[in-house]
PDB file of all heavy atoms in Angstrom:
ATOM      1  N   TYR A  24     -13.994   6.315 -16.132  1.00  0.00           N
ATOM      2  CA  TYR A  24     -12.864   6.989 -15.497  1.00  0.00           C
ATOM      3  C   TYR A  24     -12.101   6.019 -14.606  1.00  0.00           C
ATOM      4  O   TYR A  24     -10.880   6.073 -14.500  1.00  0.00           O
ATOM      5  CB  TYR A  24     -13.320   8.197 -14.689  1.00  0.00           C
ATOM      6  CG  TYR A  24     -14.064   9.243 -15.489  1.00  0.00           C
ATOM      7  CD1 TYR A  24     -14.841  10.195 -14.852  1.00  0.00           C
ATOM      8  CD2 TYR A  24     -13.990   9.293 -16.880  1.00  0.00           C
ATOM      9  CE1 TYR A  24     -15.529  11.163 -15.564  1.00  0.00           C
ATOM     10  CE2 TYR A  24     -14.677  10.250 -17.606  1.00  0.00           C
ATOM     11  CZ  TYR A  24     -15.444  11.188 -16.943  1.00  0.00           C
ATOM     12  OH  TYR A  24     -16.118  12.137 -17.652  1.00  0.00           O
ATOM     13  N   ALA A  25     -12.856   5.127 -13.951  1.00  0.00           N
ATOM     14  CA  ALA A  25     -12.184   4.128 -13.111  1.00  0.00           C
ATOM     15  C   ALA A  25     -11.281   3.255 -13.979  1.00  0.00           C
ATOM     16  O   ALA A  25     -10.169   2.886 -13.585  1.00  0.00           O
ATOM     17  CB  ALA A  25     -13.211   3.285 -12.375  1.00  0.00           C
ATOM     18  N   LEU A  26     -11.752   2.920 -15.175  1.00  0.00           N
ATOM     19  CA  LEU A  26     -10.925   2.120 -16.090  1.00  0.00           C
ATOM     20  C   LEU A  26      -9.675   2.894 -16.497  1.00  0.00           C
ATOM     21  O   LEU A  26      -8.606   2.304 -16.698  1.00  0.00           O
ATOM     22  CB  LEU A  26     -11.738   1.729 -17.327  1.00  0.00           C
ATOM     23  CG  LEU A  26     -12.750   0.613 -17.067  1.00  0.00           C
ATOM     24  CD1 LEU A  26     -13.797   0.537 -18.156  1.00  0.00           C
ATOM     25  CD2 LEU A  26     -12.050  -0.733 -16.939  1.00  0.00           C
ATOM     26  N   ASN A  27      -9.795   4.215 -16.603  1.00  0.00           N
ATOM     27  CA  ASN A  27      -8.597   5.017 -16.882  1.00  0.00           C
ATOM     28  C   ASN A  27      -7.614   4.938 -15.726  1.00  0.00           C
ATOM     29  O   ASN A  27      -6.402   4.892 -15.930  1.00  0.00           O
ATOM     30  CB  ASN A  27      -8.976   6.479 -17.127  1.00  0.00           C
ATOM     31  CG  ASN A  27      -9.667   6.669 -18.452  1.00  0.00           C
ATOM     32  OD1 ASN A  27      -9.566   5.820 -19.335  1.00  0.00           O
ATOM     33  ND2 ASN A  27     -10.385   7.775 -18.604  1.00  0.00           N
ATOM     34  N   ALA A  28      -8.166   4.931 -14.516  1.00  0.00           N
ATOM     35  CA  ALA A  28      -7.283   4.799 -13.348  1.00  0.00           C
ATOM     36  C   ALA A  28      -6.534   3.469 -13.398  1.00  0.00           C
ATOM     37  O   ALA A  28      -5.361   3.386 -13.054  1.00  0.00           O
ATOM     38  CB  ALA A  28      -8.087   4.900 -12.055  1.00  0.00           C
ATOM     39  N   VAL A  29      -7.227   2.426 -13.841  1.00  0.00           N
ATOM     40  CA  VAL A  29      -6.582   1.119 -13.972  1.00  0.00           C
ATOM     41  C   VAL A  29      -5.489   1.173 -15.021  1.00  0.00           C
ATOM     42  O   VAL A  29      -4.391   0.650 -14.840  1.00  0.00           O
ATOM     43  CB  VAL A  29      -7.617   0.040 -14.362  1.00  0.00           C
ATOM     44  CG1 VAL A  29      -6.925  -1.262 -14.700  1.00  0.00           C
ATOM     45  CG2 VAL A  29      -8.614  -0.167 -13.250  1.00  0.00           C
ATOM     46  N   ALA A  30      -5.782   1.841 -16.132  1.00  0.00           N
ATOM     47  CA  ALA A  30      -4.812   1.898 -17.229  1.00  0.00           C
ATOM     48  C   ALA A  30      -3.579   2.713 -16.841  1.00  0.00           C
ATOM     49  O   ALA A  30      -2.555   2.627 -17.516  1.00  0.00           O
ATOM     50  CB  ALA A  30      -5.470   2.484 -18.475  1.00  0.00           C
ATOM     51  N   ASN A  31      -3.674   3.487 -15.774  1.00  0.00           N
ATOM     52  CA  ASN A  31      -2.507   4.219 -15.296  1.00  0.00           C
ATOM     53  C   ASN A  31      -1.661   3.396 -14.340  1.00  0.00           C
ATOM     54  O   ASN A  31      -0.577   3.820 -13.954  1.00  0.00           O
ATOM     55  CB  ASN A  31      -2.940   5.490 -14.534  1.00  0.00           C
ATOM     56  CG  ASN A  31      -3.534   6.519 -15.461  1.00  0.00           C
ATOM     57  OD1 ASN A  31      -3.246   6.522 -16.649  1.00  0.00           O
ATOM     58  ND2 ASN A  31      -4.374   7.381 -14.918  1.00  0.00           N
ATOM     59  N   GLY A  32      -2.196   2.240 -13.940  1.00  0.00           N
ATOM     60  CA  GLY A  32      -1.504   1.437 -12.940  1.00  0.00           C
ATOM     61  C   GLY A  32      -0.417   0.568 -13.543  1.00  0.00           C
ATOM     62  O   GLY A  32      -0.307   0.411 -14.752  1.00  0.00           O
ATOM     63  N   ARG A  33       0.393  -0.018 -12.658  1.00  0.00           N
ATOM     64  CA  ARG A  33       1.499  -0.870 -13.117  1.00  0.00           C
ATOM     65  C   ARG A  33       0.945  -2.128 -13.774  1.00  0.00           C
ATOM     66  O   ARG A  33      -0.051  -2.678 -13.330  1.00  0.00           O
ATOM     67  CB  ARG A  33       2.376  -1.249 -11.933  1.00  0.00           C
ATOM     68  CG  ARG A  33       2.977  -0.022 -11.277  1.00  0.00           C
ATOM     69  CD  ARG A  33       4.423  -0.223 -10.899  1.00  0.00           C
ATOM     70  NE  ARG A  33       5.137   1.010 -10.892  1.00  0.00           N
ATOM     71  CZ  ARG A  33       5.783   1.511 -11.950  1.00  0.00           C
ATOM     72  NH1 ARG A  33       5.842   0.852 -13.078  1.00  0.00           N
ATOM     73  NH2 ARG A  33       6.397   2.666 -11.858  1.00  0.00           N
ATOM     74  N   THR A  34       1.656  -2.593 -14.800  1.00  0.00           N
ATOM     75  CA  THR A  34       1.181  -3.715 -15.616  1.00  0.00           C
ATOM     76  C   THR A  34       1.092  -5.015 -14.819  1.00  0.00           C
ATOM     77  O   THR A  34       1.970  -5.339 -14.017  1.00  0.00           O
ATOM     78  CB  THR A  34       2.148  -3.951 -16.786  1.00  0.00           C
ATOM     79  OG1 THR A  34       2.438  -2.700 -17.387  1.00  0.00           O
ATOM     80  CG2 THR A  34       1.532  -4.884 -17.824  1.00  0.00           C
ATOM     81  N   SER A  35       0.015  -5.756 -15.067  1.00  0.00           N
ATOM     82  CA  SER A  35      -0.101  -7.125 -14.543  1.00  0.00           C
ATOM     83  C   SER A  35      -0.571  -8.009 -15.679  1.00  0.00           C
ATOM     84  O   SER A  35      -1.257  -7.526 -16.595  1.00  0.00           O
ATOM     85  CB  SER A  35      -1.132  -7.200 -13.421  1.00  0.00           C
ATOM     86  OG  SER A  35      -0.772  -6.385 -12.367  1.00  0.00           O
ATOM     87  N   LEU A  36      -0.226  -9.294 -15.618  1.00  0.00           N
ATOM     88  CA  LEU A  36      -0.683 -10.183 -16.677  1.00  0.00           C
ATOM     89  C   LEU A  36      -0.897 -11.588 -16.137  1.00  0.00           C
ATOM     90  O   LEU A  36      -0.448 -11.917 -15.041  1.00  0.00           O
ATOM     91  CB  LEU A  36       0.307 -10.199 -17.839  1.00  0.00           C
ATOM     92  CG  LEU A  36       1.772 -10.483 -17.518  1.00  0.00           C
ATOM     93  CD1 LEU A  36       2.096 -11.964 -17.494  1.00  0.00           C
ATOM     94  CD2 LEU A  36       2.646  -9.809 -18.563  1.00  0.00           C
ATOM     95  N   GLY A  37      -1.625 -12.375 -16.931  1.00  0.00           N
ATOM     96  CA  GLY A  37      -1.871 -13.748 -16.516  1.00  0.00           C
ATOM     97  C   GLY A  37      -1.943 -14.640 -17.736  1.00  0.00           C
ATOM     98  O   GLY A  37      -2.319 -14.211 -18.824  1.00  0.00           O
ATOM     99  N   ILE A  38      -1.553 -15.912 -17.548  1.00  0.00           N
ATOM    100  CA  ILE A  38      -1.632 -16.882 -18.640  1.00  0.00           C
ATOM    101  C   ILE A  38      -2.216 -18.171 -18.079  1.00  0.00           C
ATOM    102  O   ILE A  38      -1.776 -18.653 -17.017  1.00  0.00           O
ATOM    103  CB  ILE A  38      -0.244 -17.181 -19.231  1.00  0.00           C
ATOM    104  CG1 ILE A  38       0.422 -15.895 -19.703  1.00  0.00           C
ATOM    105  CG2 ILE A  38      -0.358 -18.181 -20.382  1.00  0.00           C
ATOM    106  CD1 ILE A  38       1.797 -16.106 -20.289  1.00  0.00           C
ATOM    107  N   CYS A  39      -3.188 -18.729 -18.814  1.00  0.00           N
ATOM    108  CA  CYS A  39      -3.821 -19.968 -18.387  1.00  0.00           C
ATOM    109  C   CYS A  39      -3.253 -21.090 -19.243  1.00  0.00           C
ATOM    110  O   CYS A  39      -3.509 -21.146 -20.443  1.00  0.00           O
ATOM    111  CB  CYS A  39      -5.332 -19.849 -18.573  1.00  0.00           C
ATOM    112  SG  CYS A  39      -6.242 -21.141 -17.772  1.00  0.00           S
ATOM    113  N   ALA A  40      -2.465 -21.963 -18.624  1.00  0.00           N
ATOM    114  CA  ALA A  40      -1.883 -23.088 -19.365  1.00  0.00           C
ATOM    115  C   ALA A  40      -2.800 -24.288 -19.220  1.00  0.00           C
ATOM    116  O   ALA A  40      -3.803 -24.216 -18.511  1.00  0.00           O
ATOM    117  CB  ALA A  40      -0.496 -23.401 -18.811  1.00  0.00           C
ATOM    118  N   LYS A  41      -2.453 -25.402 -19.853  1.00  0.00           N
ATOM    119  CA  LYS A  41      -3.372 -26.538 -19.769  1.00  0.00           C
ATOM    120  C   LYS A  41      -3.284 -27.228 -18.426  1.00  0.00           C
ATOM    121  O   LYS A  41      -4.213 -27.934 -18.021  1.00  0.00           O
ATOM    122  CB  LYS A  41      -3.123 -27.516 -20.918  1.00  0.00           C
ATOM    123  CG  LYS A  41      -1.840 -28.311 -20.831  1.00  0.00           C
ATOM    124  CD  LYS A  41      -1.883 -29.448 -21.853  1.00  0.00           C
ATOM    125  CE  LYS A  41      -0.819 -30.485 -21.556  1.00  0.00           C
ATOM    126  NZ  LYS A  41       0.349 -30.425 -22.391  1.00  0.00           N
ATOM    127  N   ASP A  42      -2.180 -26.996 -17.697  1.00  0.00           N
ATOM    128  CA  ASP A  42      -2.032 -27.662 -16.398  1.00  0.00           C
ATOM    129  C   ASP A  42      -1.793 -26.686 -15.264  1.00  0.00           C
ATOM    130  O   ASP A  42      -1.236 -27.045 -14.230  1.00  0.00           O
ATOM    131  CB  ASP A  42      -0.878 -28.678 -16.467  1.00  0.00           C
ATOM    132  CG  ASP A  42       0.442 -27.990 -16.782  1.00  0.00           C
ATOM    133  OD1 ASP A  42       0.405 -26.853 -17.311  1.00  0.00           O
ATOM    134  OD2 ASP A  42       1.504 -28.571 -16.506  1.00  0.00           O
ATOM    135  N   GLY A  43      -2.209 -25.446 -15.468  1.00  0.00           N
ATOM    136  CA  GLY A  43      -2.032 -24.486 -14.372  1.00  0.00           C
ATOM    137  C   GLY A  43      -2.205 -23.061 -14.858  1.00  0.00           C
ATOM    138  O   GLY A  43      -2.460 -22.818 -16.038  1.00  0.00           O
ATOM    139  N   VAL A  44      -2.078 -22.115 -13.912  1.00  0.00           N
ATOM    140  CA  VAL A  44      -2.235 -20.694 -14.261  1.00  0.00           C
ATOM    141  C   VAL A  44      -1.091 -19.925 -13.623  1.00  0.00           C
ATOM    142  O   VAL A  44      -0.648 -20.255 -12.516  1.00  0.00           O
ATOM    143  CB  VAL A  44      -3.555 -20.112 -13.694  1.00  0.00           C
ATOM    144  CG1 VAL A  44      -3.876 -18.787 -14.346  1.00  0.00           C
ATOM    145  CG2 VAL A  44      -4.689 -21.094 -13.866  1.00  0.00           C
ATOM    146  N   VAL A  45      -0.627 -18.893 -14.331  1.00  0.00           N
ATOM    147  CA  VAL A  45       0.389 -18.018 -13.749  1.00  0.00           C
ATOM    148  C   VAL A  45      -0.097 -16.575 -13.845  1.00  0.00           C
ATOM    149  O   VAL A  45      -0.703 -16.182 -14.840  1.00  0.00           O
ATOM    150  CB  VAL A  45       1.746 -18.184 -14.468  1.00  0.00           C
ATOM    151  CG1 VAL A  45       1.620 -17.952 -15.966  1.00  0.00           C
ATOM    152  CG2 VAL A  45       2.783 -17.246 -13.897  1.00  0.00           C
ATOM    153  N   ILE A  46       0.129 -15.790 -12.762  1.00  0.00           N
ATOM    154  CA  ILE A  46      -0.121 -14.351 -12.816  1.00  0.00           C
ATOM    155  C   ILE A  46       1.134 -13.639 -12.342  1.00  0.00           C
ATOM    156  O   ILE A  46       1.853 -14.169 -11.489  1.00  0.00           O
ATOM    157  CB  ILE A  46      -1.333 -13.916 -11.952  1.00  0.00           C
ATOM    158  CG1 ILE A  46      -1.258 -14.507 -10.548  1.00  0.00           C
ATOM    159  CG2 ILE A  46      -2.634 -14.258 -12.628  1.00  0.00           C
ATOM    160  CD1 ILE A  46      -2.395 -14.063  -9.644  1.00  0.00           C
ATOM    161  N   ALA A  47       1.382 -12.489 -12.931  1.00  0.00           N
ATOM    162  CA  ALA A  47       2.613 -11.775 -12.587  1.00  0.00           C
ATOM    163  C   ALA A  47       2.367 -10.288 -12.658  1.00  0.00           C
ATOM    164  O   ALA A  47       1.458  -9.826 -13.347  1.00  0.00           O
ATOM    165  CB  ALA A  47       3.735 -12.161 -13.547  1.00  0.00           C
ATOM    166  N   THR A  48       3.177  -9.543 -11.909  1.00  0.00           N
ATOM    167  CA  THR A  48       3.035  -8.099 -11.941  1.00  0.00           C
ATOM    168  C   THR A  48       4.362  -7.410 -11.731  1.00  0.00           C
ATOM    169  O   THR A  48       5.330  -7.986 -11.225  1.00  0.00           O
ATOM    170  CB  THR A  48       2.032  -7.640 -10.874  1.00  0.00           C
ATOM    171  OG1 THR A  48       1.847  -6.235 -10.970  1.00  0.00           O
ATOM    172  CG2 THR A  48       2.544  -7.957  -9.488  1.00  0.00           C
ATOM    173  N   ASP A  49       4.376  -6.161 -12.128  1.00  0.00           N
ATOM    174  CA  ASP A  49       5.510  -5.282 -11.976  1.00  0.00           C
ATOM    175  C   ASP A  49       5.421  -4.654 -10.595  1.00  0.00           C
ATOM    176  O   ASP A  49       4.445  -3.989 -10.275  1.00  0.00           O
ATOM    177  CB  ASP A  49       5.375  -4.250 -13.110  1.00  0.00           C
ATOM    178  CG  ASP A  49       6.261  -3.056 -12.952  1.00  0.00           C
ATOM    179  OD1 ASP A  49       6.989  -2.928 -11.962  1.00  0.00           O
ATOM    180  OD2 ASP A  49       6.217  -2.218 -13.863  1.00  0.00           O
ATOM    181  N   LYS A  50       6.413  -4.895  -9.762  1.00  0.00           N
ATOM    182  CA  LYS A  50       6.352  -4.405  -8.382  1.00  0.00           C
ATOM    183  C   LYS A  50       7.275  -3.219  -8.178  1.00  0.00           C
ATOM    184  O   LYS A  50       7.735  -2.964  -7.082  1.00  0.00           O
ATOM    185  CB  LYS A  50       6.748  -5.549  -7.430  1.00  0.00           C
ATOM    186  CG  LYS A  50       6.376  -5.282  -5.980  1.00  0.00           C
ATOM    187  CD  LYS A  50       6.569  -6.503  -5.105  1.00  0.00           C
ATOM    188  CE  LYS A  50       8.009  -6.765  -4.746  1.00  0.00           C
ATOM    189  NZ  LYS A  50       8.107  -7.720  -3.600  1.00  0.00           N
ATOM    190  N   LYS A  51       7.530  -2.490  -9.219  1.00  0.00           N
ATOM    191  CA  LYS A  51       8.497  -1.412  -9.112  1.00  0.00           C
ATOM    192  C   LYS A  51       8.004  -0.347  -8.133  1.00  0.00           C
ATOM    193  O   LYS A  51       6.919   0.188  -8.278  1.00  0.00           O
ATOM    194  CB  LYS A  51       8.701  -0.800 -10.499  1.00  0.00           C
ATOM    195  CG  LYS A  51       9.995  -0.101 -10.663  1.00  0.00           C
ATOM    196  CD  LYS A  51      10.592  -0.450 -12.039  1.00  0.00           C
ATOM    197  CE  LYS A  51      11.416   0.704 -12.553  1.00  0.00           C
ATOM    198  NZ  LYS A  51      10.610   1.668 -13.298  1.00  0.00           N
ATOM    199  N   LEU A  52       8.804  -0.071  -7.119  1.00  0.00           N
ATOM    200  CA  LEU A  52       8.380   0.878  -6.103  1.00  0.00           C
ATOM    201  C   LEU A  52       9.083   2.202  -6.275  1.00  0.00           C
ATOM    202  O   LEU A  52      10.147   2.294  -6.867  1.00  0.00           O
ATOM    203  CB  LEU A  52       8.660   0.297  -4.717  1.00  0.00           C
ATOM    204  CG  LEU A  52       7.719  -0.863  -4.416  1.00  0.00           C
ATOM    205  CD1 LEU A  52       8.304  -1.790  -3.398  1.00  0.00           C
ATOM    206  CD2 LEU A  52       6.384  -0.342  -3.952  1.00  0.00           C
ATOM    207  N   ALA A  53       8.457   3.223  -5.691  1.00  0.00           N
ATOM    208  CA  ALA A  53       8.895   4.583  -5.996  1.00  0.00           C
ATOM    209  C   ALA A  53      10.303   4.903  -5.512  1.00  0.00           C
ATOM    210  O   ALA A  53      10.942   5.806  -6.027  1.00  0.00           O
ATOM    211  CB  ALA A  53       7.911   5.571  -5.377  1.00  0.00           C
ATOM    212  N   SER A  54      10.786   4.174  -4.525  1.00  0.00           N
ATOM    213  CA  SER A  54      12.051   4.591  -3.945  1.00  0.00           C
ATOM    214  C   SER A  54      12.831   3.383  -3.454  1.00  0.00           C
ATOM    215  O   SER A  54      12.241   2.383  -3.049  1.00  0.00           O
ATOM    216  CB  SER A  54      11.752   5.532  -2.775  1.00  0.00           C
ATOM    217  OG  SER A  54      12.851   5.661  -1.927  1.00  0.00           O
ATOM    218  N   ILE A  55      14.156   3.479  -3.443  1.00  0.00           N
ATOM    219  CA  ILE A  55      14.940   2.371  -2.900  1.00  0.00           C
ATOM    220  C   ILE A  55      14.873   2.333  -1.385  1.00  0.00           C
ATOM    221  O   ILE A  55      15.364   1.406  -0.754  1.00  0.00           O
ATOM    222  CB  ILE A  55      16.425   2.426  -3.327  1.00  0.00           C
ATOM    223  CG1 ILE A  55      17.047   3.763  -2.945  1.00  0.00           C
ATOM    224  CG2 ILE A  55      16.566   2.166  -4.796  1.00  0.00           C
ATOM    225  CD1 ILE A  55      18.562   3.743  -3.058  1.00  0.00           C
ATOM    226  N   LEU A  56      14.251   3.368  -0.806  1.00  0.00           N
ATOM    227  CA  LEU A  56      14.134   3.364   0.649  1.00  0.00           C
ATOM    228  C   LEU A  56      13.057   2.392   1.109  1.00  0.00           C
ATOM    229  O   LEU A  56      13.010   1.999   2.265  1.00  0.00           O
ATOM    230  CB  LEU A  56      13.786   4.771   1.166  1.00  0.00           C
ATOM    231  CG  LEU A  56      14.861   5.827   1.001  1.00  0.00           C
ATOM    232  CD1 LEU A  56      14.309   7.182   1.401  1.00  0.00           C
ATOM    233  CD2 LEU A  56      16.070   5.498   1.846  1.00  0.00           C
ATOM    234  N   VAL A  57      12.156   1.997   0.186  1.00  0.00           N
ATOM    235  CA  VAL A  57      11.078   1.100   0.568  1.00  0.00           C
ATOM    236  C   VAL A  57      11.618  -0.303   0.744  1.00  0.00           C
ATOM    237  O   VAL A  57      12.443  -0.767  -0.026  1.00  0.00           O
ATOM    238  CB  VAL A  57       9.965   1.091  -0.504  1.00  0.00           C
ATOM    239  CG1 VAL A  57       8.867   0.138  -0.119  1.00  0.00           C
ATOM    240  CG2 VAL A  57       9.417   2.480  -0.706  1.00  0.00           C
ATOM    241  N   ASP A  58      11.119  -0.979   1.776  1.00  0.00           N
ATOM    242  CA  ASP A  58      11.550  -2.338   2.075  1.00  0.00           C
ATOM    243  C   ASP A  58      10.698  -3.307   1.275  1.00  0.00           C
ATOM    244  O   ASP A  58       9.605  -3.672   1.691  1.00  0.00           O
ATOM    245  CB  ASP A  58      11.344  -2.547   3.581  1.00  0.00           C
ATOM    246  CG  ASP A  58      12.006  -3.799   4.074  1.00  0.00           C
ATOM    247  OD1 ASP A  58      12.567  -4.536   3.237  1.00  0.00           O
ATOM    248  OD2 ASP A  58      11.966  -4.039   5.282  1.00  0.00           O
ATOM    249  N   THR A  59      11.174  -3.730   0.112  1.00  0.00           N
ATOM    250  CA  THR A  59      10.331  -4.470  -0.813  1.00  0.00           C
ATOM    251  C   THR A  59       9.892  -5.839  -0.308  1.00  0.00           C
ATOM    252  O   THR A  59       8.894  -6.366  -0.756  1.00  0.00           O
ATOM    253  CB  THR A  59      11.046  -4.680  -2.153  1.00  0.00           C
ATOM    254  OG1 THR A  59      12.367  -5.123  -1.874  1.00  0.00           O
ATOM    255  CG2 THR A  59      11.106  -3.400  -2.943  1.00  0.00           C
ATOM    256  N   ASP A  60      10.657  -6.438   0.621  1.00  0.00           N
ATOM    257  CA  ASP A  60      10.318  -7.805   1.032  1.00  0.00           C
ATOM    258  C   ASP A  60       8.907  -7.915   1.583  1.00  0.00           C
ATOM    259  O   ASP A  60       8.277  -8.948   1.492  1.00  0.00           O
ATOM    260  CB  ASP A  60      11.268  -8.296   2.139  1.00  0.00           C
ATOM    261  CG  ASP A  60      12.712  -8.220   1.705  1.00  0.00           C
ATOM    262  OD1 ASP A  60      12.944  -8.269   0.487  1.00  0.00           O
ATOM    263  OD2 ASP A  60      13.583  -8.110   2.575  1.00  0.00           O
ATOM    264  N   GLN A  61       8.454  -6.862   2.212  1.00  0.00           N
ATOM    265  CA  GLN A  61       7.164  -6.972   2.876  1.00  0.00           C
ATOM    266  C   GLN A  61       6.007  -6.431   2.068  1.00  0.00           C
ATOM    267  O   GLN A  61       4.887  -6.365   2.552  1.00  0.00           O
ATOM    268  CB  GLN A  61       7.209  -6.222   4.201  1.00  0.00           C
ATOM    269  CG  GLN A  61       8.127  -6.877   5.193  1.00  0.00           C
ATOM    270  CD  GLN A  61       8.028  -6.209   6.522  1.00  0.00           C
ATOM    271  OE1 GLN A  61       6.936  -5.981   7.017  1.00  0.00           O
ATOM    272  NE2 GLN A  61       9.155  -5.842   7.080  1.00  0.00           N
ATOM    273  N   VAL A  62       6.284  -6.017   0.840  1.00  0.00           N
ATOM    274  CA  VAL A  62       5.209  -5.489   0.006  1.00  0.00           C
ATOM    275  C   VAL A  62       4.753  -6.600  -0.918  1.00  0.00           C
ATOM    276  O   VAL A  62       5.577  -7.228  -1.578  1.00  0.00           O
ATOM    277  CB  VAL A  62       5.718  -4.316  -0.840  1.00  0.00           C
ATOM    278  CG1 VAL A  62       4.646  -3.822  -1.769  1.00  0.00           C
ATOM    279  CG2 VAL A  62       6.198  -3.203   0.055  1.00  0.00           C
TER     280      VAL A  62
END
Side-chain angles (χ1 to χ4, degrees):
Chain A
Y24 302 162
L26 285 163
N27 288 341
V29 172
N31 290 336
R33 299 222 152 269
T34 313
S35 299
L36 52 87
I38 303 180
C39 192
K41 71 167 196 258
D42 61 340
V44 195
V45 55
I46 49 178
T48 183
D49 166 358
K50 195 171 77 164
K51 203 138 149 272
L52 290 156
S54 162
I55 55 167
L56 292 173
V57 179
D58 192 357
T59 46
D60 304 335
Q61 292 186 48
V62 176

